[in-house]
Amino acid sequence: MYAWVSMKLLAVVVNYRSSQFLTSCLASLGEAGVERVSVVDNFSDERERELVREAVAASDVPVTLSLLDSNAGFGPGVNRAVEALGAAPEDLIWIVNPDAEVSNEAARSLVAVFDDDRADLVSPLILTGARERPVVWFAGGEIQRRSGRTQHLHLAEDSAGLSGLHDVSFVTGAAPLIRASAFAELGGFREDLFLYWEDADLSDRATALGLRLAVDLDAVVWHAVGGSGDSHGKSAVYYRYMQRNRMLVASGWSSRWNLLLRGGAVETLKLLARPLKERRGRREKFAAGFGGLREGFRLAGSRRSS
């Protein structure tokens, strides 16, 4: 716990088939000085649930465990976890993926940003790849409204030379830190998306409220990207919700027709073509992406007409 600041550092973790990473994640949060963690387990099966209970029981940091009867998705999971925290308005909430590992140095750097009121929503530098030669997964991001995409800056590059606090328009949901009062002001994550694009939506709404978004390149977090995903590339679920939710979120920036036929058409086609490069399940994954695009286009139209 950080005695040199008034706010408490708390954390939330949403688990879904990621119990093999959860012990290391919780251990790293404890070593980073997190005072309390709220874990939500989106139900998958009884064996996974038992492994989650074991990971929580073995944790040195106090953990509140919430067991959901179904897979509610990422956004609702985070919202339930935050509710279970009972955080004070001035407390800091670290939203951490279960397949991420944080550090004391990263925590101190991120907390100092809030101690000096330099940002309202901040992400650390997130590295992935081989441990001995990691590469950048997130070093800041930008929302590109016309094309309907989010860009990860310095993606797959070496992190050497990256430092400082930088303003951004997009903060990934993998390990962001936010004050509890700001999370409440935003109303938490949007819950109708289930999976993917919640962070883009939250970033856009935060900007609209005048909140400052930033990336702290001096705070480094490790992320086993895809650690809780399909072992044979991206899953059909990924392709469905990436297309569906991009249409739902980004159509609020321009229009669904722009995403389909004009400025966003190239990105739409790239997403449609990506499953065809998979080693397995190409037909199923393409169908899922195409179905997600159709569903998102329909829902975006219904929302505008209502």
Side-chain angles (χ1 to χ4, degrees):
M1 181 169 57
Y2 295 94
W4 46 276
V5 291
S6 59
M7 59 270 197
K8 296 176 183 177
L9 179 59
L10 311 174
V12 299
V13 179
V14 176
N15 179 78
Y16 181 75
R17 295 190 182 278
S18 301
S19 58
Q20 69 270 36
F21 302 101
L22 191 56
T23 298
S24 295
C25 178
L26 292 175
S28 74
L29 288 168
E31 292 167 3
V34 171
E35 182 169 315
R36 188 158 37 93
V37 182
S38 176
V39 173
V40 162
D41 181 44
N42 277 318
F43 184 78
S44 55
D45 57 58
E46 291 297 342
R47 177 55 180 161
E48 173 72 6
R49 177 138 293 176
E50 184 57 32
L51 291 172
V52 170
R53 288 193 180 100
E54 291 175 4
V56 167
S59 175
D60 290 330
V61 63
V63 178
T64 299
L65 177 59
S66 301
L67 303 174
L68 303 190
D69 294 333
S70 62
N71 182 9
F74 177 74
V78 171
N79 292 346
R80 299 296 88 73
V82 171
E83 289 170 5
L85 271 181
E90 68 274 13
D91 291 341
L92 299 178
I93 299 174
W94 204 351
I95 303 166
V96 180
N97 275 12
D99 53 1
E101 294 177 18
V102 305
S103 68
N104 183 275
E105 293 77 11
R108 284 186 173 276
S109 187
L110 291 171
V111 168
V113 171
F114 288 86
D115 199 37
D116 297 336
D117 290 323
R118 289 180 286 153
D120 301 292
L121 174 62
V122 60
S123 172
L125 168 65
I126 302 176
L127 302 181
T128 192
R131 294 274 188 170
E132 62 276 10
R133 293 190 64 184
V135 295
V136 171
W137 185 75
F138 188 79
E142 299 296 339
I143 288 177
Q144 298 181 350
R145 291 176 173 271
R146 178 162 174 75
S147 59
R149 67 185 294 260
T150 56
Q151 179 186 11
H152 284 219
L153 305 176
H154 304 287
L155 182 64
E157 295 179 10
D158 188 282
S159 62
L162 297 178
S163 65
L165 186 73
H166 302 271
D167 290 341
V168 295
S169 61
F170 168 65
V171 168
T172 179
L177 189 66
I178 186 171
R179 200 180 300 278
S181 57
F183 190 84
E185 183 180 7
L186 287 163
F189 280 104
R190 181 173 168 178
E191 297 202 358
D192 64 331
L193 300 177
F194 183 68
L195 194 63
Y196 305 118
W197 279 83
E198 306 96 330
D199 47 11
D201 174 76
L202 189 79
S203 296
D204 185 60
R205 290 189 288 115
T207 299
L209 286 176
L211 302 180
R212 181 181 176 188
L213 282 59
V215 59
D216 181 4
L217 298 177
D218 297 316
V220 181
V221 164
W222 171 265
H223 181 25
V225 177
S228 57
D230 194 319
S231 60
H232 303 297
K234 300 294 186 182
S235 67
V237 170
Y238 168 87
Y239 288 111
R240 176 192 173 192
Y241 283 100
M242 280 297 289
Q243 286 279 24
R244 174 189 183 271
N245 293 345
R246 172 177 174 261
M247 186 64 65
L248 282 175
V249 174
S251 64
W253 306 339
S254 54
S255 74
R256 59 179 184 153
W257 289 106
N258 173 67
L259 297 175
L260 191 66
L261 301 174
R262 293 188 284 275
V266 171
E267 184 68 13
T268 299
L269 290 173
K270 283 182 179 179
L271 283 172
L272 279 175
R274 196 172 297 167
L276 303 178
K277 299 178 182 179
E278 293 274 6
R279 291 184 179 182
R280 299 187 184 183
R282 295 187 187 97
R283 182 177 299 179
E284 175 193 4
K285 293 174 182 179
F286 176 83
F290 185 74
L293 178 62
R294 289 181 59 186
E295 181 183 4
F297 187 82
R298 176 180 58 80
L299 291 173
S302 299
R303 185 181 61 186
R304 284 187 174 274
S305 61
S306 62

